[in-house]
């Protein structure tokens, strides 16, 4: 099990990059990951539901047109066509917006894909409130809860471009079905081409002992910024990048609970059944400690700019800092 | 409430206003869809300014007709039509897709009074309209239900579930309109996932099928009239349109499905439509009361 | 907030009934609840997806044929037709198997029903492994996680015939969308026609101070049996009937954590994101204590008899007792 | 591997065996579906004993044809066909729907070797078959894909998504069969949710439509032959059948969709089919090796 992973950047090294981080789209990581796969595996095929551009599968389509399958606006069909392709030995990746990948084809994911345990790879784009102006219907914030509930499924929420690219390649090597969630807008790059990525193994990005901030997706960056602010207040916060929501790295969580005594989770997802819920399940079964949740509070999203929305929905670094202060106060009061 | 009483000429002029609104609001928001809204402007205008019995002053008017856009992404034309028809002041259009303001990227009932049911996920709207049509009939209400769909949207299986349902229950108070602009996000509908022969499909599902030039106001008026006449069957109007209609550089180009014109493009588009961005934005800004906007046609 | 509710049966009074409980189908409670509603409200209509008999909506259909709508095998359409009916002022109840109500029409539930916040009432039949011989595809065990994740939705899992009947009536009076989960086979009756039922208020069925068993659905009976067994071992177990999963009665949970110091959850649902997850979320945010989960361990169901399956999947009273012993041991070890 | 070589007479007798198996296994399980399995017995037999190139001894045979039942609830006929064809010993049929044993209530790939993809939720199977057909074509495999659907199942919109997809990609290696028994759980299909005119619907979706008497073995052989001949289009066979076919008191009665015969009813049913529950159960019990069961037709 990975604790502090050698290659993982440490707080000091992060500091400058945190101030002015390189911004890159996670969906491009998905698109480039598919191209990496197309080159190394002949069995990888890609399906899309009339969203080639916004899911960046065009990268693959241009290089491997004969392995690219346009399904049109028919997510249910796409999920099951992918299953049929898998039954003939292909490794199918399908791409659409996460709201539709997780909800419109949930029954197909459950029965045909997961129950049969076929290696269908689901690319859920436009995850989270950061999607922006499209508004609520297009801001997927329920996928973690839905996918976690289905047996045989794995759920991955990479934190940046590089991790999404690696997760996409790793997804193909996993002989089971899995779901990768990524976003629309450019987000800070916090890992590098060589930082480690293993499905199911959390990466500790920052050492800390007063409390642990466990985050996924774009919130990993917010967590690192918050940890730096907390440090200036004399609080040592550990930061865990929980890129895999299922299977969950329960060991890293138990260690964080034991060693830090308080946990804050940070996710761009509804507060029920997401990262916070997954960590809470692990915490109460191992080492119960106070937890605070930074997440969308069971509300639909709305139109707006990425930052404006993240602030309005209470999921920016300052919200993580406030949650950390609450968690610490509760830890001290025990 | 009395219908508006507009001539074909009035309606054409109003449709032009709607197109200008679409370009002006997109120029401001710099986010949103151009193609479908422009192809829907003519039949949309005929619906809102002639065919439908709506009452923006009394949204819960029990005698009102009900309308629902299954293609939620065409909010620019929906809001332009609502604004011109008096659901809210035209000036609000300039807040499209902004955090402040009540005009969400996709139709939201609780943000925009007048929207009956929120939408944005394709394929669901005809089913909603079926429920409205059946519920109205159960209550003996003489109302008509209008549902606007896209042609790429026809690929969603739920539409065929609803088609079967509407015919089974003989919902002749239901009229669907398909914006048959032959384009969708990834290209030509026939290349992405062919839907032809579309009329045969709807006939095979026992609907009264009406085909019309979706930019010919007179033909549209007649089509809606025919739909009213159909007994024992729901009607669908296949409105043959051109994506981006009215803006030379957008016409028939799928790349305009989901992007707004930048400032220069908006200037050119509005010039082509006989006005300027400045002039038309000023018109929107000056219109701060909800009422049938000044212009073509008599007020209701 | 309801603590020990007066009308709620106490351990002593339950004892005899626990040994030889009256067995009744919760789906009949749904069917009879619809008839109760049909009589008192003219605006209630019922839709079904070619499953009139097994969802017991036939009871309503026979009495109110003009308010009964057969939709055929088309769950997506059914969900949205119900929404359209609600838009015209009806209070539509729809019925199908929970696996399809929650998964096949998830996107329709999320966007058209929940985002618009229409009073559509979803009856999810065949909830849980207890469905029996039909097997995995028909054993719905993900509904709690899915429905909880969607804003504006309420989630109700009644424990027996009477509670299902009351929940059905209460669902109509709630001006928002909600989901009621019920089962196929006869299950023990543990409440009476007069026991209290309020959406969002847990009912304490048994006083206890060593630990609390929080259960929903058929597991409430198993919890009561387990509590009795624990009593014989000198352990005082509180039993909470958490019939509403959303909105959650966080106050009753916090009190249980504070007063008992250990919690066992018992549900006929997947272990991720269900009752256990919901309670864990509440516990870590209020008063962290050791928790053990009695649930289906992220596996698909299979064919078999109700009891055989519940035993094989580890959700019978003895499993609850073992979980309680584990929770107590952890409580003492702190 | 060589096809079985059976005469029409052999196939009719084998279909009778399959029906007897269905009744006998349901009599034992006392849980499961009678109606659809019996209406599917004849075309099922033609598929498994003549049309399809399957190899129960080598399930991953790359040259095999692939089959998928979208109507997962008809497991009694699926398992009877698999048992008779030698996928597993017939004695296993007596463990249908039991906790022990490998024959789940609905088809489960990981419980029953030979099942390509699990099913049980209606409307998904044709899409799966489309994926199999496309994947096989991509790999240049000369395989055919067979998908069995129900008529009530036609109400699921996903089937029409798949229908559009198969025609768009010209999957002529795909052959669908619809068990057109005019019944579903709640009654007559035309009363529950009418699907007529079904042939027109499939033609409107650009399929090669073949109509046949689903209980006439010779006609079915010809229909599958015609399907093989179709170029550039997927084929669908509308097999006109009778629910509960072969058991007088079950025929054409929707109430038999999902219930098994009790012991007495099973006795009578098997008597009508020229055997007895005891005799036929004994045959199943005696058959403990996976092989083409003794009886009509030569072995492969
Ligand atoms: C269920 C669902 N899938 C995908 C999308 C994304 N999407 C929005 S519009 C669109 C294309 C629709 O094509 P068409 O109906 O022809 O509309 P047009 O491009 O002509 O405006 C797609 C795929 C969606 N909104 N909902
Ligand atoms: C998605 C889904 N909805 C509902 C069901 C429940 N169900 C099983 S069979 C059936 C009726 C199907 O009718 P038909 O296809 O005609 O089969 P038949 O009754 O003729 O066997 C239904 C509604 C299901 N299995 N899957
Ligand atoms: Mg179009
Ligand atoms: Mg049938």
């Amino acid at each position: 099990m990975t604790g502090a992973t050698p290659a993982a950047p440490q707080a000091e090294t992060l500091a400058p990059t945190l101030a002015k981080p390189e911004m890159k789209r996670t969906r491009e990581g998905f698109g480039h990951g598919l191209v990496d796969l197309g080159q190394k595996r002949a069995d990888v095929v890609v399906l899309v539901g009339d969203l080639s551009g916004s899911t960046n599968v065009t990268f693959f389509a241009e290089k491997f047109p004969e392995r690219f399958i346009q399904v049109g606006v028919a997510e249910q069909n796409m999920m099951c066509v992918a299953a049929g392709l898998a039954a003939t030995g292909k490794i199918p990746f399908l791409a659409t917006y996460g709201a539709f990948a997780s909800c419109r084809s949930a029954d197909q994911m459950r029965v045909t894909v997961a129950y049969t345990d076929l290696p269908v790879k689901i690319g859920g784009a436009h995850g989270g409130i950061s999607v922006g102006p499209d508004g609520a219907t297009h801001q997927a914030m329920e996928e973690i809860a839905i996918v976690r509930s289905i047996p045989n499924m794995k759920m991955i929420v990479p934190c940046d471009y590089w991790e999404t690219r690696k997760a996409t390649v790793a997804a193909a090597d996993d002989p089971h079905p899995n779901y990768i969630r990524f976003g629309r807008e450019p987000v800070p790059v916090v890992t590098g081409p060589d930082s480690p990525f293993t499905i199911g193994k959390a990466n500790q990005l920052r050492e800390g002992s007063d409390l642990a901030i466990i985050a996924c997706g774009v919130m990993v960056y917010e967590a690192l910024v918050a940890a730096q602010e907390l440090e200036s207040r004399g609080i040592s916060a550990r930061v865990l990048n929980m890129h895999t929501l299922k299977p969950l790295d329960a060991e890293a969580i138990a260690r964080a609970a034991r060693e830090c005594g308080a946990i804050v989770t940070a996710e761009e997802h509804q507060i029920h059944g997401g990262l916070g819920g997954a960590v809470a399940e692990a915490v109460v079964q191992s080492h119960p400690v106070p937890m605070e949740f930074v997440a969308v509070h069971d509300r639909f999203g709305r139109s707006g700019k990425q930052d404006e929305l993240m602030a309005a929905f209470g999921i920016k670094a300052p919200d993580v800092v406030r949650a950390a202060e609450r968690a610490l106060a509760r830890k001290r009061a025990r | 409430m009395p219908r508006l009483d507009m001539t074909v000429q009035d309606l054409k002029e109003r449709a032009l206003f709607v197109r200008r609104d679409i370009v002006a609001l997109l120029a401001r928001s710099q986010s949103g869809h151009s193609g479908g809204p422009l192809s829907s402007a003519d039949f949309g205008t005929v619906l809102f300014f002639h065919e439908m019995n709506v009452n923006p002053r009394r949204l819960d008017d029990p005698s009102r007709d009900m309308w629902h856009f299954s293609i939620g992404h065409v909010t620019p034309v929906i809001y332009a039509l609502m604004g011109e028809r008096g659901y809210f002041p035209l000036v609000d259009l300039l807040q499209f897709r902004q955090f402040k303001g009540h005009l969400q990227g996709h139709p939201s009932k609780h943000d925009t009074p007048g929207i009956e049911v929120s939408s944005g996920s394709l394929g669901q709207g005809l089913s909603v309209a079926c429920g409205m049509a059946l519920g109205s009939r159960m209550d003996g209400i003489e109302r008509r239900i209008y549902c606007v769909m896209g042609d790429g949207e026809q690929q969603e299986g739920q539409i065929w579930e609803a088609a079967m349902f509407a015919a089974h229950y003989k919902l002749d108070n239901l009229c669907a309109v398909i914006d048959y602009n032959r384009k969708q996000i990834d290209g030509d509908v026939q290349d992405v996932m062919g839907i032809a022969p579309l009329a045969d499909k709807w006939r095979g599902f026992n609907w009264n099928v009406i085909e019309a030039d979706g930019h010919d106001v007179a033909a549209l008026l007649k089509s809606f009239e025919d739909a009213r006449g159909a007994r024992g069957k729901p009607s669908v109007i296949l409105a043959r349109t051109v994506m981006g209609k009215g803006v030379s550089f957008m016409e028939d180009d799928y790349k305009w499905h989901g992007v707004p014109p930048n400032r220069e493009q908006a200037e050119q588009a509005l010039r082509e439509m006989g006005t300027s961005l400045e002039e038309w934005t000023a018109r929107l800004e000056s219109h701060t009361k909800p009422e049938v906007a000044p212009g073509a046609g008599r007020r209701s």
Side-chain angles (χ1 to χ4, degrees), chain A residues 25-162:
Chain A
R25 296 190 155 86
T26 49
R27 54 176 160 145
E28 282 179 20
F30 178 68
H32 289 138
L34 291 178
V35 172
D36 297 341
L37 281 169
Q39 274 143 0
K40 78 173 207 186
R41 304 185 63 136
D43 54 2
V44 167
V45 299
V46 175
L47 301 88
V48 74
D50 193 28
L51 288 168
S52 301
S54 43
T55 60
N56 286 163
V57 295
T58 36
F59 302 172
F60 182 95
E62 281 153 16
K63 284 212 163 51
F64 312 99
E66 72 293 345
R67 285 193 270 154
F68 176 72
I69 302 159
Q70 173 62 262
V71 182
V73 199
E75 296 77 13
Q76 299 191 105
N77 186 51
M78 179 161 61
M79 185 69 70
C80 292
V81 167
L85 286 161
T88 66
K90 304 287 180 205
I91 304 291
F93 278 73
L94 65 86
T96 179
Y97 292 153
F100 312 128
S102 63
C103 291
R104 193 55 161 270
S105 47
D107 192 33
Q108 290 75 12
M109 169 167 46
R110 176 181 179 266
V111 176
T112 296
V113 171
Y115 183 41
T116 312
D117 195 16
L118 291 163
V120 170
K121 319 300 173 179
I122 303 166
H126 282 40
I129 190 90
S130 59
V131 164
D134 274 337
T137 57
H138 286 52
Q139 291 157 335
M141 300 198 283
E142 299 78 19
E143 316 104 290
I144 298 176
I146 293 171
V147 177
R148 275 182 75 235
S149 74
I150 301 175
N152 296 340
M153 291 298 304
K154 289 188 177 67
M155 180 69 188
I156 309 168
V157 183
C159 66
D160 67 3
Y161 168 86
W162 287 110

Side-chain angles (χ1 to χ4, degrees), chain A residues 50 75 100 104, chain B residues 73 120 122 150-153 181 183-184 257:
Chain A
D50 193 28
E75 296 77 13
F100 312 128
R104 193 55 161 270
Chain B
H73 63 281
L122 294 170
D151 52 358
E153 189 190 18
N181 61 17
K183 307 285 174 189
Q184 61 191 102
H257 157 90

